[in-house]
């Protein structure tokens, strides 16, 4: 821990940090501001966060939080979009690695009480992280057909293949994501790995079991030893918790949900709503109880400017959202090698489609930071 502390203090020297331009009176180097390669910096922030938690070093934890808050000003947070390789002055697309980092930092900082970043995690996971995973083989075939042949090939045998590449890329994550499209020019292995980790961090953080209390942080489908969650979002404002062995459930309510529209039932009977901050508390539960939360899902249209004052890259994007889920974007992609995203008209239905699946509950959940 002593060696880690010395490395942490060296890594947070002001000369290592600083924004592209700082306001008068703001020492960005002391606050973790930066303007180059977000993934490289966020990887360091995650390491600093782990050390700060282990050593209870309040200054290091503050550094990470303030760095994240500054980073967030370059984002379109509700889309989970962040320019990828030099914020403010460089590559203008979101790197897949960034998405995993954003989720990991949001989950762990929330765990440590540095803030409540579950809304940021929710936005990344529901939107760009989902869209940057390649699931449409026909779209990949279109991109492949529109791509020029490789000019140079490896001089070593067995190093390259073009066999069934669209099919073999299914499930991978693209390296770059624009606010309205995936410019699939290349896929880097680091982005596939780190974006996949983002899914794991979100899954782990979505529901936590401690003693006889289940804490639900994200309104997504999730199974656990104490309770199972069925989320009907974004189709319907309905979340069902099937209680197995919890005596108490704490359920985080997203900020866009109008609390005046909330209705809560336990076992089919109305239950008064109790709050602790953003969490709805349901106590005195018995095995087999079904907890149902209902609320209105608003549809909204919002516009954001990406890459402000970046030469030839500034553009306004308009999103249509159901709750926190983007269901359409304008302008849409129009390049022959671009994969359009947010073509989600099916999510605007008022009835959630139902699918029966087997859900796995591990005997022990591991957290590794």
């Amino acid at each position: 821990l002593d060696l880690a502390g010395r490395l942490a203090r060296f890594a947070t020297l002001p000369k290592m940090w600083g924004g592209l331009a700082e306001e008068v009176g703001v020492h960005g180097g002391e606050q973790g501001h930066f303007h180059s390669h977000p993934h490289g910096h966020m990887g360091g922030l995650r390491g600093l966060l782990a050390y700060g938690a282990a050593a209870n070093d309040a200054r290091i934890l503050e550094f990470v939080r303030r760095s994240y808050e500054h980073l967030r000003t370059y984002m379109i947070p509700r889309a989970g979009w962040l320019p990828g390789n030099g914020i403010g002055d460089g590559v203008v697309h979101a790197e897949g690695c960034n998405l995993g980092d954003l989720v990991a930092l949001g989950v762990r900082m929330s765990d440590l009480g540095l803030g409540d970043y579950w809304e940021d995690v929710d936005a990344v996971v529901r939107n760009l992280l989902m869209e940057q995973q390649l699931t449409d083989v026909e779209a990949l075939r279109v991109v492949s057909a529109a791509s020029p042949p490789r000019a140079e090939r490896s001089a070593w045998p067995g190093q390259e293949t073009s066999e069934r590449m669209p099919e073999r890329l299914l499930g991978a994550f693209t390296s770059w994501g624009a606010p309205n499209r995936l410019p699939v020019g290349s896929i880097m292995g680091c982005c596939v790995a780190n974006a996949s980790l983002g899914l794991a961090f979100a899954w782990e953080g979505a529901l936590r079991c401690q003693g006889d209390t289940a804490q639900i942080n994200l309104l997504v489908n999730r199974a656990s030893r104490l309770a199972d969650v069925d989320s009907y979002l974004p189709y319907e404002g309905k979340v069902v918790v099937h209680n197995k062995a919890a005596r108490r459930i704490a359920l985080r309510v997203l900020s866009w949900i109008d609390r005046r529209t909330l209705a809560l039932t336990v076992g089919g009977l109305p239950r008064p709503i109790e709050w602790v901050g953003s969490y709805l508390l349901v106590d005195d539960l018995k095995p087999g109880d079904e907890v149902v939360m209902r609320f209105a899902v608003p549809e909204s249209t919002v516009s954001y400017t990406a890459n402000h004052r970046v030469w030839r890259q500034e553009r306004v994007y308009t999103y249509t959202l159901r709750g926190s889920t983007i269901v359409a974007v304008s302008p849409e992609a129009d390049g022959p090698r671009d994969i359009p995203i947010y073509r989600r008209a099916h999510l605007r239905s008022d009835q959630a489609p139902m699918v029966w699946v087997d859900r796995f509950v591990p005997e022990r959940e591991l957290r590794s930071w």
Side-chain angles (χ1 to χ4, degrees):
L1 196 61
D2 175 69
L3 176 59
R6 283 184 281 165
L7 288 171
R9 286 186 286 276
F10 175 76
T12 53
L13 288 174
K15 67 180 181 180
M16 306 286 193
W17 303 80
L20 187 64
E22 300 283 9
E23 296 282 348
V24 174
V26 175
H27 195 321
E30 290 185 355
Q31 300 179 31
H33 294 186
F34 63 89
H35 65 88
S36 60
H37 200 221
H39 173 52
H41 285 82
M42 284 192 285
L45 292 175
R46 288 170 59 186
L48 290 169
L49 193 63
Y51 164 75
N56 194 30
D57 190 320
R59 179 66 183 97
I60 294 295
L61 294 176
E62 176 197 25
F63 183 92
V64 175
R65 178 180 60 79
R66 297 182 80 174
S67 182
Y68 176 86
E69 292 289 355
H70 178 257
L71 165 74
R72 199 174 180 276
T73 64
Y74 291 94
M75 295 179 63
I76 301 177
R78 294 181 73 183
W81 179 85
L82 168 71
N85 199 18
I87 51 180
D89 68 335
V91 174
V92 296
H93 301 312
E95 187 180 358
C97 292
N98 292 350
L99 303 177
D101 292 329
L102 289 169
V103 174
L105 283 169
V107 169
R108 190 57 173 146
M109 287 193 299
S110 299
D111 288 344
L112 295 172
L114 297 178
D116 186 337
Y117 297 102
W118 292 112
E119 304 260 335
D120 287 1
V121 173
D122 178 79
V124 173
V125 172
R126 289 187 181 278
N127 297 310
L128 196 54
L129 183 61
M130 292 291 97
E131 292 294 297
Q132 281 197 215
Q133 187 172 33
L134 298 171
T135 59
D136 186 344
V137 70
E138 291 304 322
L140 287 168
R141 287 175 180 146
V142 169
V143 170
S144 178
S147 300
R150 277 179 57 83
E152 298 181 8
R153 293 186 176 273
S154 173
W156 301 95
Q159 298 299 303
E160 295 187 20
T161 182
S162 58
E163 181 184 353
R164 299 180 64 251
M165 290 311 299
E167 292 82 2
R168 295 166 74 177
L169 286 173
L170 287 178
F173 288 84
T174 65
S175 291
W176 307 113
N180 68 336
R181 69 192 190 284
L182 304 181
V184 189
S186 63
I187 295 176
M188 297 182 285
C190 57
C191 293
V192 177
N194 284 299
S196 298
L197 284 173
L199 292 178
F201 284 120
W203 176 88
E204 186 279 325
L207 192 157
R208 300 272 177 68
C209 298
Q210 185 171 2
D212 58 3
T213 298
Q215 178 176 322
I216 300 167
N217 299 308
L218 297 173
L219 302 183
V220 296
N221 295 334
R222 176 73 151 81
S224 74
R225 64 178 178 84
L226 291 183
D228 294 346
V229 180
D230 294 340
S231 174
Y232 289 65
L233 290 172
Y235 303 93
E236 304 175 45
K238 179 180 176 182
V239 175
V240 180
V241 182
H242 304 279
N243 187 42
K244 297 175 179 176
R247 188 180 68 82
R248 179 188 302 107
I249 289 174
L251 196 156
R252 191 185 183 285
V253 176
L254 290 156
S255 63
W256 57 261
I257 296 175
D258 186 344
R259 295 187 180 189
R260 294 169 296 184
T261 70
L262 270 175
L264 178 69
T265 61
V266 178
L269 300 176
R271 175 74 70 94
I273 295 176
E274 299 180 27
W275 295 95
V276 173
S278 297
Y279 285 83
L280 183 155
L281 296 184
V282 187
D283 223 329
D284 299 321
L285 291 172
K286 299 182 294 297
D289 278 345
E290 185 176 85
V291 179
V292 181
M293 181 177 72
R294 297 179 185 272
F295 48 90
V297 180
E299 188 164 299
S300 59
T301 300
V302 293
S303 296
Y304 296 98
T305 300
N307 301 308
H308 179 50
R309 297 173 62 190
V310 177
W311 186 60
R312 298 178 64 182
Q313 298 296 337
E314 180 174 330
R315 198 167 190 180
V316 175
Y317 297 91
T318 300
Y319 296 103
T320 302
L321 298 100
R322 282 183 65 86
S324 51
T325 302
I326 296 173
V327 294
V329 63
S330 177
E332 289 194 343
D334 55 9
R337 299 182 66 203
D338 291 338
I339 295 180
I341 58 176
Y342 302 130
R343 289 184 170 178
R344 293 168 156 182
H346 60 287
L347 297 182
R348 302 176 85 166
S349 169
D350 292 328
Q351 185 172 359
M354 305 302 292
V355 179
W356 290 97
V357 297
D358 291 326
R359 295 199 280 193
F360 172 71
V361 178
E363 293 182 4
R364 186 163 61 101
E365 294 180 7
L366 301 178
R367 290 192 214 174
S368 177
W369 302 98

